[in-house]
Amino acid sequence: MMQKLDQEGVSFCTRIIYEDIALTTAIEIYDAMSGGKHFMTSNNDCGVRVYDMDGFQLLNHFHFPWPVNHTSLSPDRKLIAVVGDHLDGLLVDSSSGKARICEYKYIRAATLEGHLDYSFASAWHPDGRFFATGNQDKTCRLWDIRNLATPVSVLKGNMAAIRSVRFSSDGQFLVAAEAVDFVHVYNAKLNYEKRKEIDFFGEVSGVSLSPDDETLYIGVWDPSYSSLLQFNKRHRYGYVDSFV
């Protein structure tokens, strides 16, 4: 469902029917290479749909062999990371030739092998060479598009599935949220070997970073104490002595 903030009511609503349950599992809004804004939806009917933001026209519909839980578009808009109800993920070409309504087709893909369960999250490093996937096997895995044979790193959670992942806009940090109680912040510049762990009580609905990377938001949807947690970045400044 889409709503324009300067207008009342619902502007657009997708209609998806899959085994009596219609789920849109992820949405990404982005600037299209051709100009204007598009948004991409992931759906449990095994589809990924691309819409135009202006008229909400369906520009393309890609079909996959399993329900799609999350997709993320690379910074250069050329590749899509696709994960869902399958052990393997996919890295696919975002180009589709001519835009045709309700076009069903498989597109050229590379397979991501290594996870032991279904995946629910993905995110791209801003350099466009690396991306991360979060999985029910309690790991977040880092992938290099130049060699997808094995993940670059395997980052382990404490007790639950990794359901949300985000890179900071400067590429320095990776945030990986477990489904409950724990959020991990990894230092990408230190090869993800150093991390800060945030622990609390509650189900995690997702994580997000402010555009300037100064603030981390964590959504908690526990029925007893639902909340939005805010954490601000702490800076350390060093000053050299000066002599006159």
Side-chain angles (χ1 to χ4, degrees):
M1 184 177 69
M2 302 290 292
Q3 180 177 354
K4 295 183 178 180
L5 298 180
D6 59 349
Q7 298 179 7
E8 295 184 358
V10 176
S11 300
F12 175 73
C13 183
T14 59
R15 291 174 174 82
I16 300 165
I17 299 176
Y18 179 68
E19 296 183 355
D20 298 325
I21 302 176
L23 292 177
T24 295
T25 53
I27 298 175
E28 182 171 6
I29 301 173
Y30 61 95
D31 295 318
M33 291 188 293
S34 58
K37 288 189 179 294
H38 292 173
F39 68 95
M40 180 168 55
T41 66
S42 310
N43 304 107
N44 71 328
D45 67 347
C46 308
V48 173
R49 295 166 172 82
V50 179
Y51 297 89
D52 174 71
M53 282 289 291
D54 292 331
F56 302 110
Q57 181 185 13
L58 178 62
L59 302 177
N60 223 323
H61 183 174
F62 302 119
H63 189 68
F64 297 95
W66 25 260
V68 179
N69 295 326
H70 199 273
T71 53
S72 54
L73 191 65
S74 64
D76 63 4
R77 309 292 187 262
K78 294 181 179 180
L79 297 170
I80 307 172
V82 185
V83 297
D85 287 359
H86 196 275
L87 299 185
D88 301 333
L90 294 173
L91 185 66
V92 302
D93 191 337
S94 66
S95 64
S96 59
K98 296 181 179 179
R100 290 178 285 179
I101 300 299
C102 295
E103 179 182 14
Y104 289 81
K105 65 179 182 181
Y106 289 97
I107 51 183
R108 186 164 54 90
T111 303
L112 313 173
E113 299 180 350
H115 278 301
L116 306 178
D117 209 324
Y118 297 165
S119 295
F120 283 86
S122 63
W124 284 85
H125 189 282
D127 70 4
R129 293 184 301 167
F130 300 93
F131 64 97
T133 54
N135 191 276
Q136 289 190 148
D137 63 8
K138 304 177 186 177
T139 69
C140 174
R141 298 182 188 237
L142 278 297
W143 307 86
D144 186 335
I145 64 172
R146 298 166 296 182
N147 181 11
L148 296 172
T150 57
V152 176
S153 297
V154 179
L155 311 176
K156 296 181 179 180
N158 291 337
M159 59 178 291
I162 305 298
R163 298 298 293 264
S164 182
V165 293
R166 294 285 189 276
F167 279 99
S168 60
S169 60
D170 60 5
Q172 184 174 350
F173 299 102
L174 169 66
V175 182
E178 298 186 37
V180 294
D181 296 354
F182 293 99
V183 173
H184 311 277
V185 182
Y186 294 90
N187 192 323
K189 289 188 175 181
L190 297 179
N191 200 31
Y192 305 97
E193 295 178 357
K194 184 177 181 180
R195 73 175 181 179
K196 170 68 176 178
E197 186 174 274
I198 303 170
D199 62 313
F200 51 90
F201 292 105
E203 307 277 347
V204 181
S205 59
V207 294
S208 182
L209 289 159
S210 61
D212 60 3
D213 294 330
E214 289 294 317
T215 306
L216 168 65
Y217 299 98
I218 302 174
V220 180
W221 67 272
D222 188 278
S224 299
Y225 35 85
S226 298
S227 58
L228 180 65
L229 306 181
Q230 176 179 323
F231 295 86
N232 296 327
K233 184 187 292 185
R234 184 174 63 182
H235 295 273
R236 293 180 179 178
Y237 297 100
Y239 298 91
V240 297
D241 294 330
S242 61
F243 298 89
V244 178

